[in-house]
Amino acid sequence: MRRSRLASLALTLASSLGIMLTLAAPAQAAAADRYVALGDSYASGVGADSYTSESGSCMRSNNAYPALYNANIKPASYRSVACSGATTADVINNQLSALSSTTTLVSVTIGGNDVGFSNIMTTCVLQGESQCVAAIQAAENKARSELPGKLANVYNGIKSKAPSARVVVVGYPVFYQLGMVCVGLTETSRAKINEGINLVDDITKTAATSAGFTFADVRSIFVGHQLCSYGEKWLHALNFLNLTISYHPTAAGQSGGYYPVFRSAAG
């Protein structure tokens, strides 16, 4: 009887130890990762303050989700080459060179500038509802016809440069909570802007999945923290004194929205 209990105890202990080792494996893998962050202003952290001096006009923030991952997880190596204003062509021409065969984790947020996010918001703010809707419709048509191919080129480039890496494609938050009393743009304009962002995210998700990459969708976590919502705003509204940060995540948006979604997807 005693031997049976000891055997049972040993089996239970061995089983528990196996579970513990299994649970520990992702953390160990993360600590051993060689991580490179690619992308545009949402990846560099425009709007989150605390910009690094070396990044210049790229405006890489210590509060951006890649930097937060580095600070919290402490991978074996980390480099961000994300840059404000970057397009898919910029990633291919200026950022992929940061990757190598030893890279084990890559994040990328890209595509918004290819369809003209910034110009669209300028049109919507300055030219009114009809011009806003028309500009977004033109951007949606462009996104459908051009964005899948441009994203595929980026993803193929990542695979070529870092064939062994886990790749996490991180999307964009939807800007507005609809159905709320909100000054500024009309409800029609806000709804059309949301529609355009959802389209870009959906196209990006499809392209990422087709490439065998993980898509990190931040849309749900931003609900309640969007412009016009009653909760803490995780996005900057139009700021005439600093137009660059307009419609970008705040430091809280990076830490409370982007970071946990990326951390979960990165494994």
Side-chain angles (χ1 to χ4, degrees):
M1 186 71 173
R2 187 172 299 170
R3 287 182 180 177
S4 178
R5 286 179 179 175
L6 286 173
S8 178
L9 178 60
L11 183 61
T12 301
L13 182 60
S15 178
S16 298
L17 183 59
I19 292 171
M20 289 172 64
L21 290 173
T22 300
L23 291 174
Q28 292 169 353
D33 272 330
R34 308 184 76 83
Y35 170 39
V36 177
L38 313 173
D40 58 23
S41 55
Y42 283 72
S44 71
V46 170
D49 298 321
S50 187
Y51 305 113
T52 62
S53 58
E54 54 77 30
S55 65
S57 61
C58 285
M59 301 179 71
R60 287 187 283 271
S61 169
N62 290 317
N63 297 320
Y65 74 83
L68 293 176
Y69 184 88
N70 177 55
N72 286 287
I73 304 304
K74 297 178 174 58
S77 68
Y78 162 69
R79 184 182 179 191
S80 174
V81 291
C83 190
S84 176
T87 62
T88 52
D90 292 321
V91 171
I92 292 169
N93 295 328
N94 305 319
Q95 297 184 18
L96 290 185
S97 58
L99 304 176
S100 74
S101 59
T102 64
T103 304
T104 60
L105 176 62
V106 177
S107 65
V108 57
T109 300
I110 201 68
N113 291 319
D114 288 85
V115 297
F117 264 6
S118 179
N119 291 336
I120 288 170
M121 296 310 299
T122 299
T123 298
C124 289
V125 169
L126 298 180
Q127 297 186 30
E129 181 182 292
S130 61
Q131 292 298 318
C132 176
V133 171
I136 296 167
Q137 187 59 54
E140 289 181 359
N141 295 340
K142 183 176 183 179
R144 290 188 180 96
S145 62
E146 298 180 11
L147 194 56
K150 289 182 175 182
L151 291 173
N153 289 338
V154 170
Y155 301 161
N156 288 335
I158 293 173
K159 287 181 179 179
S160 176
K161 293 284 187 178
S164 300
R166 309 189 312 282
V167 182
V168 180
V169 177
V170 189
Y172 299 98
V174 173
F175 289 171
Y176 294 100
Q177 185 166 337
L178 301 178
M180 312 292 284
V181 177
C182 193
V183 299
L185 302 180
T186 66
E187 181 82 353
T188 297
S189 291
R190 294 196 296 270
K192 191 66 174 177
I193 290 168
N194 285 0
E195 177 186 289
I197 296 169
N198 277 315
L199 176 64
V200 169
D201 273 332
D202 290 343
I203 289 173
T204 303
K205 180 178 181 179
T206 297
T209 303
S210 296
F213 297 164
T214 299
F215 181 70
D217 197 332
V218 300
R219 286 176 286 186
S220 295
I221 200 169
F222 269 80
V223 172
H225 300 283
Q226 300 152 292
L227 300 178
C228 300
S229 68
Y230 292 134
E232 178 191 11
K233 306 300 186 293
W234 283 357
L235 292 161
H236 290 281
L238 176 66
N239 186 330
F240 283 109
L241 298 178
N242 189 354
L243 292 173
T244 301
I245 69 171
S246 300
Y247 305 108
H248 283 83
T250 63
Q254 289 282 350
S255 64
Y258 266 93
Y259 173 67
V261 173
F262 171 64
R263 172 68 187 91
S264 176

